[in-house]
PDB file of all heavy atoms in Angstrom:
ATOM      1  N   VAL A   1      43.090 -10.546  29.897  1.00 98.00           N
ATOM      2  CA  VAL A   1      42.307  -9.400  29.440  1.00 98.00           C
ATOM      3  C   VAL A   1      43.292  -8.266  29.168  1.00 98.00           C
ATOM      4  O   VAL A   1      44.051  -7.880  30.058  1.00 98.00           O
ATOM      5  CB  VAL A   1      41.270  -8.959  30.494  1.00 98.00           C
ATOM      6  CG1 VAL A   1      40.463  -7.762  29.984  1.00 98.00           C
ATOM      7  CG2 VAL A   1      40.342 -10.120  30.843  1.00 98.00           C
ATOM      8  N   HIS A   2      43.272  -7.753  27.940  1.00 97.00           N
ATOM      9  CA  HIS A   2      44.232  -6.737  27.532  1.00 97.00           C
ATOM     10  C   HIS A   2      43.531  -5.440  27.136  1.00 97.00           C
ATOM     11  O   HIS A   2      42.754  -5.421  26.171  1.00 97.00           O
ATOM     12  CB  HIS A   2      45.073  -7.236  26.351  1.00 97.00           C
ATOM     13  CG  HIS A   2      45.886  -8.459  26.659  1.00 97.00           C
ATOM     14  ND1 HIS A   2      46.287  -9.358  25.682  1.00 97.00           N
ATOM     15  CD2 HIS A   2      46.367  -8.935  27.832  1.00 97.00           C
ATOM     16  CE1 HIS A   2      46.973 -10.333  26.247  1.00 97.00           C
ATOM     17  NE2 HIS A   2      47.040 -10.099  27.551  1.00 97.00           N
ATOM     18  N   ASP A   3      43.743  -4.393  27.897  1.00 97.00           N
ATOM     19  CA  ASP A   3      43.278  -3.042  27.579  1.00 97.00           C
ATOM     20  C   ASP A   3      41.815  -3.035  27.143  1.00 97.00           C
ATOM     21  O   ASP A   3      41.458  -2.511  26.097  1.00 97.00           O
ATOM     22  CB  ASP A   3      44.156  -2.428  26.491  1.00 97.00           C
ATOM     23  CG  ASP A   3      43.972  -0.908  26.418  1.00 97.00           C
ATOM     24  OD1 ASP A   3      43.658  -0.295  27.446  1.00 97.00           O
ATOM     25  OD2 ASP A   3      44.132  -0.349  25.310  1.00 97.00           O
ATOM     26  N   LEU A   4      40.954  -3.585  27.973  1.00 97.00           N
ATOM     27  CA  LEU A   4      39.539  -3.704  27.649  1.00 97.00           C
ATOM     28  C   LEU A   4      38.786  -2.427  28.003  1.00 97.00           C
ATOM     29  O   LEU A   4      38.929  -1.885  29.113  1.00 97.00           O
ATOM     30  CB  LEU A   4      38.945  -4.901  28.393  1.00 97.00           C
ATOM     31  CG  LEU A   4      37.470  -5.242  28.114  1.00 97.00           C
ATOM     32  CD1 LEU A   4      37.283  -6.754  28.132  1.00 97.00           C
ATOM     33  CD2 LEU A   4      36.558  -4.601  29.159  1.00 97.00           C
ATOM     34  N   TRP A   5      37.967  -1.945  27.071  1.00 97.00           N
ATOM     35  CA  TRP A   5      37.087  -0.790  27.265  1.00 97.00           C
ATOM     36  C   TRP A   5      35.683  -1.184  26.816  1.00 97.00           C
ATOM     37  O   TRP A   5      35.517  -1.953  25.869  1.00 97.00           O
ATOM     38  CB  TRP A   5      37.539   0.410  26.421  1.00 97.00           C
ATOM     39  CG  TRP A   5      38.890   0.967  26.774  1.00 97.00           C
ATOM     40  CD1 TRP A   5      40.102   0.343  26.668  1.00 97.00           C
ATOM     41  CD2 TRP A   5      39.170   2.280  27.259  1.00 97.00           C
ATOM     42  NE1 TRP A   5      41.104   1.170  27.064  1.00 97.00           N
ATOM     43  CE2 TRP A   5      40.577   2.383  27.431  1.00 97.00           C
ATOM     44  CE3 TRP A   5      38.372   3.394  27.568  1.00 97.00           C
ATOM     45  CZ2 TRP A   5      41.185   3.534  27.898  1.00 97.00           C
ATOM     46  CZ3 TRP A   5      38.988   4.545  28.022  1.00 97.00           C
ATOM     47  CH2 TRP A   5      40.375   4.618  28.197  1.00 97.00           C
ATOM     48  N   HIS A   6      34.673  -0.634  27.485  1.00 97.00           N
ATOM     49  CA  HIS A   6      33.298  -0.897  27.063  1.00 97.00           C
ATOM     50  C   HIS A   6      32.421   0.289  27.429  1.00 97.00           C
ATOM     51  O   HIS A   6      32.664   0.969  28.430  1.00 97.00           O
ATOM     52  CB  HIS A   6      32.757  -2.163  27.728  1.00 97.00           C
ATOM     53  CG  HIS A   6      31.517  -2.695  27.079  1.00 97.00           C
ATOM     54  ND1 HIS A   6      31.474  -3.066  25.755  1.00 97.00           N
ATOM     55  CD2 HIS A   6      30.266  -2.921  27.563  1.00 97.00           C
ATOM     56  CE1 HIS A   6      30.265  -3.506  25.463  1.00 97.00           C
ATOM     57  NE2 HIS A   6      29.504  -3.406  26.545  1.00 97.00           N
ATOM     58  N   ASP A   7      31.408   0.549  26.596  1.00 95.00           N
ATOM     59  CA  ASP A   7      30.484   1.655  26.866  1.00 95.00           C
ATOM     60  C   ASP A   7      29.100   1.277  26.386  1.00 95.00           C
ATOM     61  O   ASP A   7      28.912   0.319  25.637  1.00 95.00           O
ATOM     62  CB  ASP A   7      30.957   2.937  26.157  1.00 95.00           C
ATOM     63  CG  ASP A   7      30.919   2.804  24.637  1.00 95.00           C
ATOM     64  OD1 ASP A   7      29.820   2.925  24.050  1.00 95.00           O
ATOM     65  OD2 ASP A   7      31.976   2.571  24.024  1.00 95.00           O
ATOM     66  N   TYR A   8      28.112   2.041  26.835  1.00 94.00           N
ATOM     67  CA  TYR A   8      26.734   1.906  26.377  1.00 94.00           C
ATOM     68  C   TYR A   8      26.298   3.239  25.795  1.00 94.00           C
ATOM     69  O   TYR A   8      26.240   4.244  26.513  1.00 94.00           O
ATOM     70  CB  TYR A   8      25.808   1.501  27.522  1.00 94.00           C
ATOM     71  CG  TYR A   8      26.059   0.103  28.042  1.00 94.00           C
ATOM     72  CD1 TYR A   8      26.438  -0.121  29.365  1.00 94.00           C
ATOM     73  CD2 TYR A   8      25.919  -1.004  27.207  1.00 94.00           C
ATOM     74  CE1 TYR A   8      26.662  -1.398  29.843  1.00 94.00           C
ATOM     75  CE2 TYR A   8      26.147  -2.291  27.674  1.00 94.00           C
ATOM     76  CZ  TYR A   8      26.517  -2.480  28.990  1.00 94.00           C
ATOM     77  OH  TYR A   8      26.746  -3.756  29.448  1.00 94.00           O
ATOM     78  N   ASP A   9      26.032   3.243  24.489  1.00 91.00           N
ATOM     79  CA  ASP A   9      25.601   4.460  23.798  1.00 91.00           C
ATOM     80  C   ASP A   9      26.558   5.619  24.063  1.00 91.00           C
ATOM     81  O   ASP A   9      26.142   6.769  24.295  1.00 91.00           O
ATOM     82  CB  ASP A   9      24.186   4.853  24.220  1.00 91.00           C
ATOM     83  CG  ASP A   9      23.155   3.797  23.834  1.00 91.00           C
ATOM     84  OD1 ASP A   9      23.317   3.179  22.764  1.00 91.00           O
ATOM     85  OD2 ASP A   9      22.208   3.581  24.619  1.00 91.00           O
ATOM     86  N   GLY A  10      27.848   5.314  24.050  1.00 89.00           N
ATOM     87  CA  GLY A  10      28.859   6.349  24.221  1.00 89.00           C
ATOM     88  C   GLY A  10      29.209   6.674  25.655  1.00 89.00           C
ATOM     89  O   GLY A  10      30.153   7.428  25.907  1.00 89.00           O
ATOM     90  N   ALA A  11      28.466   6.136  26.635  1.00 90.00           N
ATOM     91  CA  ALA A  11      28.757   6.383  28.047  1.00 90.00           C
ATOM     92  C   ALA A  11      29.702   5.285  28.546  1.00 90.00           C
ATOM     93  O   ALA A  11      29.310   4.117  28.614  1.00 90.00           O
ATOM     94  CB  ALA A  11      27.477   6.395  28.873  1.00 90.00           C
ATOM     95  N   PRO A  12      30.941   5.626  28.912  1.00 94.00           N
ATOM     96  CA  PRO A  12      31.908   4.601  29.338  1.00 94.00           C
ATOM     97  C   PRO A  12      31.451   3.860  30.588  1.00 94.00           C
ATOM     98  O   PRO A  12      30.924   4.459  31.528  1.00 94.00           O
ATOM     99  CB  PRO A  12      33.175   5.416  29.616  1.00 94.00           C
ATOM    100  CG  PRO A  12      32.995   6.697  28.874  1.00 94.00           C
ATOM    101  CD  PRO A  12      31.520   6.973  28.891  1.00 94.00           C
ATOM    102  N   VAL A  13      31.659   2.547  30.592  1.00 95.00           N
ATOM    103  CA  VAL A  13      31.348   1.718  31.754  1.00 95.00           C
ATOM    104  C   VAL A  13      32.631   1.105  32.313  1.00 95.00           C
ATOM    105  O   VAL A  13      32.865   1.109  33.516  1.00 95.00           O
ATOM    106  CB  VAL A  13      30.343   0.608  31.388  1.00 95.00           C
ATOM    107  CG1 VAL A  13      30.072  -0.308  32.588  1.00 95.00           C
ATOM    108  CG2 VAL A  13      29.046   1.207  30.877  1.00 95.00           C
ATOM    109  N   LEU A  14      33.457   0.579  31.435  1.00 97.00           N
ATOM    110  CA  LEU A  14      34.740  -0.004  31.814  1.00 97.00           C
ATOM    111  C   LEU A  14      35.841   0.603  30.977  1.00 97.00           C
ATOM    112  O   LEU A  14      35.641   0.902  29.792  1.00 97.00           O
ATOM    113  CB  LEU A  14      34.727  -1.523  31.621  1.00 97.00           C
ATOM    114  CG  LEU A  14      33.744  -2.328  32.472  1.00 97.00           C
ATOM    115  CD1 LEU A  14      33.701  -3.779  32.003  1.00 97.00           C
ATOM    116  CD2 LEU A  14      34.124  -2.262  33.948  1.00 97.00           C
ATOM    117  N   GLU A  15      37.013   0.767  31.573  1.00 96.00           N
ATOM    118  CA  GLU A  15      38.154   1.288  30.820  1.00 96.00           C
ATOM    119  C   GLU A  15      39.447   0.709  31.390  1.00 96.00           C
ATOM    120  O   GLU A  15      39.557   0.409  32.575  1.00 96.00           O
ATOM    121  CB  GLU A  15      38.203   2.815  30.881  1.00 96.00           C
ATOM    122  CG  GLU A  15      38.375   3.395  32.281  1.00 96.00           C
ATOM    123  CD  GLU A  15      38.523   4.908  32.269  1.00 96.00           C
ATOM    124  OE1 GLU A  15      37.665   5.583  31.652  1.00 96.00           O
ATOM    125  OE2 GLU A  15      39.484   5.398  32.861  1.00 96.00           O
ATOM    126  N   ARG A  16      40.403   0.479  30.515  1.00 95.00           N
ATOM    127  CA  ARG A  16      41.756   0.062  30.888  1.00 95.00           C
ATOM    128  C   ARG A  16      41.771  -1.146  31.820  1.00 95.00           C
ATOM    129  O   ARG A  16      42.480  -1.171  32.811  1.00 95.00           O
ATOM    130  CB  ARG A  16      42.503   1.225  31.553  1.00 95.00           C
ATOM    131  CG  ARG A  16      42.667   2.444  30.632  1.00 95.00           C
ATOM    132  CD  ARG A  16      43.402   3.561  31.351  1.00 95.00           C
ATOM    133  NE  ARG A  16      42.625   4.052  32.490  1.00 95.00           N
ATOM    134  CZ  ARG A  16      43.168   4.734  33.512  1.00 95.00           C
ATOM    135  NH1 ARG A  16      44.452   4.952  33.554  1.00 95.00           N
ATOM    136  NH2 ARG A  16      42.380   5.156  34.497  1.00 95.00           N
ATOM    137  N   ILE A  17      40.989  -2.187  31.467  1.00 97.00           N
ATOM    138  CA  ILE A  17      40.985  -3.418  32.256  1.00 97.00           C
ATOM    139  C   ILE A  17      42.089  -4.333  31.729  1.00 97.00           C
ATOM    140  O   ILE A  17      42.093  -4.716  30.563  1.00 97.00           O
ATOM    141  CB  ILE A  17      39.626  -4.145  32.162  1.00 97.00           C
ATOM    142  CG1 ILE A  17      38.488  -3.237  32.650  1.00 97.00           C
ATOM    143  CG2 ILE A  17      39.678  -5.450  32.944  1.00 97.00           C
ATOM    144  CD1 ILE A  17      38.501  -2.952  34.115  1.00 97.00           C
ATOM    145  N   ASN A  18      43.025  -4.667  32.605  1.00 97.00           N
ATOM    146  CA  ASN A  18      44.104  -5.602  32.282  1.00 97.00           C
ATOM    147  C   ASN A  18      44.175  -6.647  33.381  1.00 97.00           C
ATOM    148  O   ASN A  18      44.198  -6.310  34.572  1.00 97.00           O
ATOM    149  CB  ASN A  18      45.441  -4.873  32.169  1.00 97.00           C
ATOM    150  CG  ASN A  18      45.496  -3.960  30.957  1.00 97.00           C
ATOM    151  OD1 ASN A  18      45.691  -4.420  29.834  1.00 97.00           O
ATOM    152  ND2 ASN A  18      45.327  -2.667  31.177  1.00 97.00           N
ATOM    153  N   LEU A  19      44.204  -7.922  32.970  1.00 97.00           N
ATOM    154  CA  LEU A  19      44.081  -8.981  33.964  1.00 97.00           C
ATOM    155  C   LEU A  19      44.719 -10.263  33.437  1.00 97.00           C
ATOM    156  O   LEU A  19      44.583 -10.592  32.262  1.00 97.00           O
ATOM    157  CB  LEU A  19      42.593  -9.209  34.251  1.00 97.00           C
ATOM    158  CG  LEU A  19      42.183 -10.032  35.458  1.00 97.00           C
ATOM    159  CD1 LEU A  19      42.642  -9.381  36.755  1.00 97.00           C
ATOM    160  CD2 LEU A  19      40.664 -10.214  35.470  1.00 97.00           C
ATOM    161  N   GLU A  20      45.412 -10.978  34.308  1.00 97.00           N
ATOM    162  CA  GLU A  20      45.941 -12.301  34.004  1.00 97.00           C
ATOM    163  C   GLU A  20      45.464 -13.233  35.107  1.00 97.00           C
ATOM    164  O   GLU A  20      45.723 -12.993  36.291  1.00 97.00           O
ATOM    165  CB  GLU A  20      47.478 -12.290  33.959  1.00 97.00           C
ATOM    166  CG  GLU A  20      48.081 -11.344  32.933  1.00 97.00           C
ATOM    167  CD  GLU A  20      47.894 -11.818  31.510  1.00 97.00           C
ATOM    168  OE1 GLU A  20      47.712 -13.053  31.323  1.00 97.00           O
ATOM    169  OE2 GLU A  20      47.935 -10.983  30.585  1.00 97.00           O
ATOM    170  N   VAL A  21      44.765 -14.296  34.743  1.00 97.00           N
ATOM    171  CA  VAL A  21      44.176 -15.200  35.724  1.00 97.00           C
ATOM    172  C   VAL A  21      44.627 -16.624  35.429  1.00 97.00           C
ATOM    173  O   VAL A  21      44.446 -17.123  34.318  1.00 97.00           O
ATOM    174  CB  VAL A  21      42.633 -15.113  35.703  1.00 97.00           C
ATOM    175  CG1 VAL A  21      42.028 -16.110  36.681  1.00 97.00           C
ATOM    176  CG2 VAL A  21      42.174 -13.694  36.039  1.00 97.00           C
ATOM    177  N   ASP A  22      45.187 -17.281  36.439  1.00 96.00           N
ATOM    178  CA  ASP A  22      45.638 -18.660  36.289  1.00 96.00           C
ATOM    179  C   ASP A  22      44.465 -19.632  36.393  1.00 96.00           C
ATOM    180  O   ASP A  22      43.438 -19.338  37.017  1.00 96.00           O
ATOM    181  CB  ASP A  22      46.673 -19.002  37.360  1.00 96.00           C
ATOM    182  CG  ASP A  22      47.979 -18.247  37.186  1.00 96.00           C
ATOM    183  OD1 ASP A  22      48.270 -17.839  36.042  1.00 96.00           O
ATOM    184  OD2 ASP A  22      48.691 -18.056  38.185  1.00 96.00           O
ATOM    185  N   GLU A  23      44.653 -20.791  35.817  1.00 95.00           N
ATOM    186  CA  GLU A  23      43.651 -21.853  35.881  1.00 95.00           C
ATOM    187  C   GLU A  23      43.324 -22.186  37.334  1.00 95.00           C
ATOM    188  O   GLU A  23      44.203 -22.289  38.184  1.00 95.00           O
ATOM    189  CB  GLU A  23      44.176 -23.106  35.184  1.00 95.00           C
ATOM    190  CG  GLU A  23      43.181 -24.213  35.016  1.00 95.00           C
ATOM    191  CD  GLU A  23      42.406 -24.107  33.711  1.00 95.00           C
ATOM    192  OE1 GLU A  23      42.872 -23.455  32.783  1.00 95.00           O
ATOM    193  OE2 GLU A  23      41.307 -24.702  33.654  1.00 95.00           O
ATOM    194  N   GLY A  24      42.032 -22.325  37.648  1.00 95.00           N
ATOM    195  CA  GLY A  24      41.616 -22.735  38.975  1.00 95.00           C
ATOM    196  C   GLY A  24      41.516 -21.628  39.993  1.00 95.00           C
ATOM    197  O   GLY A  24      41.235 -21.897  41.164  1.00 95.00           O
ATOM    198  N   THR A  25      41.718 -20.383  39.581  1.00 96.00           N
ATOM    199  CA  THR A  25      41.607 -19.263  40.509  1.00 96.00           C
ATOM    200  C   THR A  25      40.147 -18.964  40.802  1.00 96.00           C
ATOM    201  O   THR A  25      39.289 -19.079  39.928  1.00 96.00           O
ATOM    202  CB  THR A  25      42.276 -18.011  39.902  1.00 96.00           C
ATOM    203  OG1 THR A  25      43.646 -18.290  39.624  1.00 96.00           O
ATOM    204  CG2 THR A  25      42.219 -16.834  40.865  1.00 96.00           C
ATOM    205  N   PHE A  26      39.845 -18.584  42.026  1.00 97.00           N
ATOM    206  CA  PHE A  26      38.494 -18.165  42.413  1.00 97.00           C
ATOM    207  C   PHE A  26      38.551 -16.649  42.607  1.00 97.00           C
ATOM    208  O   PHE A  26      38.986 -16.165  43.649  1.00 97.00           O
ATOM    209  CB  PHE A  26      38.061 -18.860  43.709  1.00 97.00           C
ATOM    210  CG  PHE A  26      36.583 -18.785  43.987  1.00 97.00           C
ATOM    211  CD1 PHE A  26      35.869 -19.931  44.306  1.00 97.00           C
ATOM    212  CD2 PHE A  26      35.896 -17.574  43.951  1.00 97.00           C
ATOM    213  CE1 PHE A  26      34.499 -19.875  44.581  1.00 97.00           C
ATOM    214  CE2 PHE A  26      34.534 -17.503  44.201  1.00 97.00           C
ATOM    215  CZ  PHE A  26      33.835 -18.667  44.525  1.00 97.00           C
ATOM    216  N   CYS A  27      38.105 -15.901  41.597  1.00 98.00           N
ATOM    217  CA  CYS A  27      38.124 -14.447  41.635  1.00 98.00           C
ATOM    218  C   CYS A  27      36.783 -13.923  42.137  1.00 98.00           C
ATOM    219  O   CYS A  27      35.749 -14.190  41.523  1.00 98.00           O
ATOM    220  CB  CYS A  27      38.382 -13.862  40.242  1.00 98.00           C
ATOM    221  SG  CYS A  27      40.037 -14.144  39.610  1.00 98.00           S
ATOM    222  N   THR A  28      36.790 -13.209  43.234  1.00 98.00           N
ATOM    223  CA  THR A  28      35.594 -12.511  43.678  1.00 98.00           C
ATOM    224  C   THR A  28      35.723 -11.044  43.271  1.00 98.00           C
ATOM    225  O   THR A  28      36.813 -10.468  43.325  1.00 98.00           O
ATOM    226  CB  THR A  28      35.391 -12.646  45.195  1.00 98.00           C
ATOM    227  OG1 THR A  28      36.607 -12.342  45.880  1.00 98.00           O
ATOM    228  CG2 THR A  28      34.955 -14.049  45.551  1.00 98.00           C
ATOM    229  N   ILE A  29      34.599 -10.449  42.855  1.00 98.00           N
ATOM    230  CA  ILE A  29      34.598  -9.101  42.286  1.00 98.00           C
ATOM    231  C   ILE A  29      33.666  -8.231  43.111  1.00 98.00           C
ATOM    232  O   ILE A  29      32.482  -8.548  43.269  1.00 98.00           O
ATOM    233  CB  ILE A  29      34.141  -9.121  40.816  1.00 98.00           C
ATOM    234  CG1 ILE A  29      35.048 -10.048  39.995  1.00 98.00           C
ATOM    235  CG2 ILE A  29      34.141  -7.715  40.229  1.00 98.00           C
ATOM    236  CD1 ILE A  29      34.557 -10.277  38.571  1.00 98.00           C
ATOM    237  N   VAL A  30      34.186  -7.138  43.653  1.00 97.00           N
ATOM    238  CA  VAL A  30      33.395  -6.222  44.468  1.00 97.00           C
ATOM    239  C   VAL A  30      33.537  -4.807  43.911  1.00 97.00           C
ATOM    240  O   VAL A  30      34.442  -4.517  43.109  1.00 97.00           O
ATOM    241  CB  VAL A  30      33.823  -6.253  45.952  1.00 97.00           C
ATOM    242  CG1 VAL A  30      33.637  -7.646  46.533  1.00 97.00           C
ATOM    243  CG2 VAL A  30      35.269  -5.787  46.116  1.00 97.00           C
ATOM    244  N   GLY A  31      32.664  -3.922  44.362  1.00 96.00           N
ATOM    245  CA  GLY A  31      32.704  -2.528  43.923  1.00 96.00           C
ATOM    246  C   GLY A  31      31.332  -1.900  44.059  1.00 96.00           C
ATOM    247  O   GLY A  31      30.333  -2.591  44.277  1.00 96.00           O
ATOM    248  N   ALA A  32      31.294  -0.590  43.922  1.00 92.00           N
ATOM    249  CA  ALA A  32      30.033   0.139  44.053  1.00 92.00           C
ATOM    250  C   ALA A  32      29.064  -0.257  42.944  1.00 92.00           C
ATOM    251  O   ALA A  32      29.470  -0.735  41.872  1.00 92.00           O
ATOM    252  CB  ALA A  32      30.300   1.639  44.005  1.00 92.00           C
ATOM    253  N   SER A  33      27.774  -0.053  43.199  1.00 90.00           N
ATOM    254  CA  SER A  33      26.763  -0.321  42.176  1.00 90.00           C
ATOM    255  C   SER A  33      27.029   0.543  40.947  1.00 90.00           C
ATOM    256  O   SER A  33      27.387   1.714  41.061  1.00 90.00           O
ATOM    257  CB  SER A  33      25.360  -0.023  42.726  1.00 90.00           C
ATOM    258  OG  SER A  33      25.040  -0.875  43.783  1.00 90.00           O
ATOM    259  N   GLY A  34      26.863  -0.049  39.764  1.00 88.00           N
ATOM    260  CA  GLY A  34      27.029   0.696  38.528  1.00 88.00           C
ATOM    261  C   GLY A  34      28.454   0.845  38.049  1.00 88.00           C
ATOM    262  O   GLY A  34      28.707   1.604  37.104  1.00 88.00           O
TER     263      GLY A  34
END
């Protein structure tokens, strides 16, 4: 994932996501609601 940004109707949701994931990795994702 290279420099990923996403928004809804101009309201940013994700910004500056960079990620490298190897085959077979089990990624768990946590964080506050929203």
